[in-house]
Amino acid sequence: MNRFWKCMGLCGCILALMACSESLGVDTVSPGYEVPDDERGSFDHPEIVGVGDAPSRPRSRLDIDQLNASIRQVTGGIGWEVSGVDQFEALSTTLGRPDYANSTTEDLDASPLFQKFLGDAARSVCSTLMQRERSGSAESIMLRHVNGTDTVASSPEAVDQNLRDLLLRFHGHVVEVSAPDLYHWRWLFETATDISGDPLEGWETVCVALITHVDFYTY
Amino acid sequence: MDMWNEAGDMKTLRIGALLVGFVSLAVASSGWAQPLTNEDLVCAPERDTMSGTRYLRALSLHLRGVVPTEAEYRALDDDATLESLVSEWLESPEFEARFVRYHRSLLWNNISNIRIVSLSQQLGRSGDLYWAGNKARVFRGDRVSCRDEVVGTLEEALETVTEISAAGVERRRERAIMVEPYWAPGTLVKVCGFDAQEVAISARGTNCDSSDATNDAGCGCGPNLQRCTHSVQAQRLRSSFGLEIEQRLVAHLRAREPYHALFTSRRGFVNGPLAHFWRYQHFNSSGGTRMTPAQVDVEDLPVGIEYTDEDWYEIELNDAHSGVLTSPSYLIRFQTNRARAGRFYDAFLCEPFQPPAGGIPASSDEDNLIVDTQVRPGCAYCHAQLEPAAARWGRWAELGAAYLDPLRYPVMREDCQRCAQGQITCSLDCRFNYVTQSLSPSQQPYLGMLLAYEFRRPEHEAFVEDGPSRMVYEAIADGRLPRCTARRAFEWLVGREVHESEEAWLEQLAFDFTQGGFDYRSLVRAIVLDPTYRRLR
């Protein structure tokens, strides 16, 4: 079983290497979705900005306070907490926030260590968020346009609309209907749903991906 | 492994495997991967600037520390809306928090690792019994607590029993009484009798609110243990000093004062712990951080602030103060006058004291005998400027935050001069604040003078009495302060150093900043609304 998932990861890496290729065989990955010709090889890259020689601002990683506040903002108040302890505070030094007694420079590298803890945070808050969505105890964030059984096959428009809302909420991207930007996200949701057999797990996977995505933790 | 854990692990693994592929895909397509050399593989299209919503997101993160809400994204119509939001956010409490956070990186206002109150005032605890370990030998002749027996009155408690320890040390041990501590009104704690003594003047005539109390067994913690701290109170005090400087930053922003007022204002703040410290605890700081004479006039403290009061109260400080540069937190964080000047020059004038590329030339043995670093070869590269700059803090005690009033601390003090000449024993006051030793004949003329006057050139002597605020005004007049403020704000918001090609723009920013009355919000606004900020690389 584990070998199967390792293979899935490897396949993902292979896809990554093919990211900008026009020959990307997307239709074999997503059997329920016909990729229009004009979407093939036309991925949107909202943060690759052609600034040439003009003075510009380098992309920056969110500091720990921004990250903490932003995760709470997009999840409707859910923070990365263990036994009531805010983990971003507990790990603030490790995650780069200087204390100005022993360290005076803020480390804003998106280092492997940072990525590891961001992944931990994402899985924690997304799990809590989906529990809340299942209980219906608060305004829905992850299931605003879909229900717990909708899939790409059964409700493609609702899934797309949901993804568009989430991309705006988490990344600040305005994505048009049927825009190629949606392809990766639709693929992720659909694949996670296919594997788990549960669309809710598909949305939880999307949630984790949204938070661990470079467009979330940088600006 | 049980089923639940196994199921959880598998779920994590599944998500992880998917995300490996997905994130790799995203990273590769986002431009953070290695550049693609084959034209067929180059990602396209490119845009000149960030999209409106992404720009809004960056602005919100910089100015408020959080991403926008969905409603804010959806309400974004055009650049006019965006500029309006920037104005709104610059007035928000969230911007105040970002302003404070940014200034932490300049002021380094964390003194949590520094002892403020001397150890002789520090109560420890054995079980539920409080006693000062560092004063135990003075009280009992040995580092031992009192007997763990509670009696009704202090007089009873002070009836000691003499005993011989296992190590053969003769010691006297009193008993304990219950005391209502200042940090928890309405409760009682068990305290050793010697520590619980309340008198202001001991039987030996010692003022218990002075450093002399350290060696007098007749001086205890005072009523409600007011002179002493426990580790929790000590940490709360340090934290309060650090936060006090942030209160000044917020008040400054809310009052819409010119930026340089941060360094010239006479505004200070106290909360419960700080008011208590200035009233009851700063006296005995010998051996700890030097806080006496207090830089705050105790008579001017607001009446009725309890130790437990967490609110902040604004106070007016004397006219020797220079805003944050003479705040306790700054003075304690940077314990020498050189460090105080060095931090200001680096953070606010963009003139760090650094050796030239290639270092300074090696000095000869003869050079090393020159005590005055302003002229010693090599050292002079920095110290010719640093020493006069440090003299600006000459009226503020090093290793502490005490204010050396000119009346009590004249430029030349006779008792300190006499002790320097070996005629009398030097007091702590002389040893701490005056020149009482000479390592070379060049120091002889300065014996008995306030430390800051040592090796002062005639043209620099006024620096000591003028204080740091005069230096700030000079830096405004010659443009260094506004230029550096603009540069630092640029570095904060744009996230890199200023390119040579941008120096003219920076100069314009500094000019506009000055012309606009040193309004920091306007400076920030000008930078974040410039196309440079919006062009993301």
Side-chain angles (χ1 to χ4, degrees), chain A residues 1-2 5-6 8-9 12-13 15-16 19-22 43-60 62-66 69-70 73-74 97 99-102 104 106 110 123 127 134 144 165 168-174 184-185 187-188 191-192 195-196 201 204-205 208-209 212-219, chain B residues 10-32 36 40-51 53-54 57-59 61-62 64-70 72-74 98 101-102 104-106 108-113 333 490 492-496 499 501-502 531-537:
Chain A
M1 197 63 175
N2 286 354
W5 289 109
K6 285 177 185 171
M8 284 297 292
C13 292
L15 281 174
C20 296
S21 168
E22 289 183 1
F43 298 103
D44 188 45
H45 304 290
E47 293 307 309
I48 302 175
V49 178
V51 295
D53 293 330
S56 60
R57 181 172 65 86
R59 182 195 292 258
S60 175
L62 271 64
D63 64 46
I64 291 307
D65 298 320
Q66 290 169 326
S70 295
Q73 174 94 294
V74 297
R97 187 169 71 192
D99 63 6
Y100 298 112
N102 300 305
T104 55
E106 183 142 30
R123 282 186 289 278
S127 174
R134 285 185 178 96
R144 192 175 295 168
D165 273 17
L168 179 66
R169 184 181 185 93
F170 282 72
H171 295 172
H173 285 314
V174 176
H184 304 301
W185 298 96
W187 174 88
L188 180 67
T191 309
I195 290 165
S196 64
E201 284 205 23
E204 185 171 333
T205 304
V208 173
T212 53
H213 194 281
V214 67
D215 279 353
F216 183 76
Y217 66 78
T218 67
Y219 67 113
Chain B
M10 284 311 298
K11 181 177 164 185
T12 301
L13 190 62
R14 281 204 300 270
I15 291 176
L18 279 171
L19 291 179
V20 166
F22 180 77
V23 172
S24 301
L25 191 68
V27 169
S29 62
S30 72
W32 274 29
L36 300 170
D40 292 339
L41 300 177
V42 171
C43 297
E46 297 180 344
R47 284 198 290 264
D48 288 338
T49 58
M50 300 166 75
S51 68
T53 46
R54 286 294 286 179
R57 187 178 190 269
L59 290 168
L61 282 163
H62 259 137
R64 300 192 302 177
V66 68
V67 294
T69 63
E70 264 189 79
E72 286 168 335
Y73 283 129
R74 294 187 195 285
R98 294 305 288 178
R101 192 186 196 280
Y102 163 63
R104 276 185 209 134
S105 70
L106 302 175
W108 301 358
N109 53 312
N110 180 357
I111 57 170
S112 62
N113 56 350
R333 178 64 179 78
F490 176 95
W492 169 37
L493 297 163
V494 180
R496 61 170 170 79
H499 294 159
S501 61
E502 295 166 321
T532 298
Y533 180 91
R534 192 166 177 172
R535 280 191 290 264
L536 190 71
R537 189 182 294 277

Side-chain angles (χ1 to χ4, degrees), chain A residues 29-40:
Chain A
V29 178
S30 180
Y33 178 70
E34 283 294 322
V35 181
D37 287 343
D38 59 1
E39 282 191 27
R40 292 172 185 268

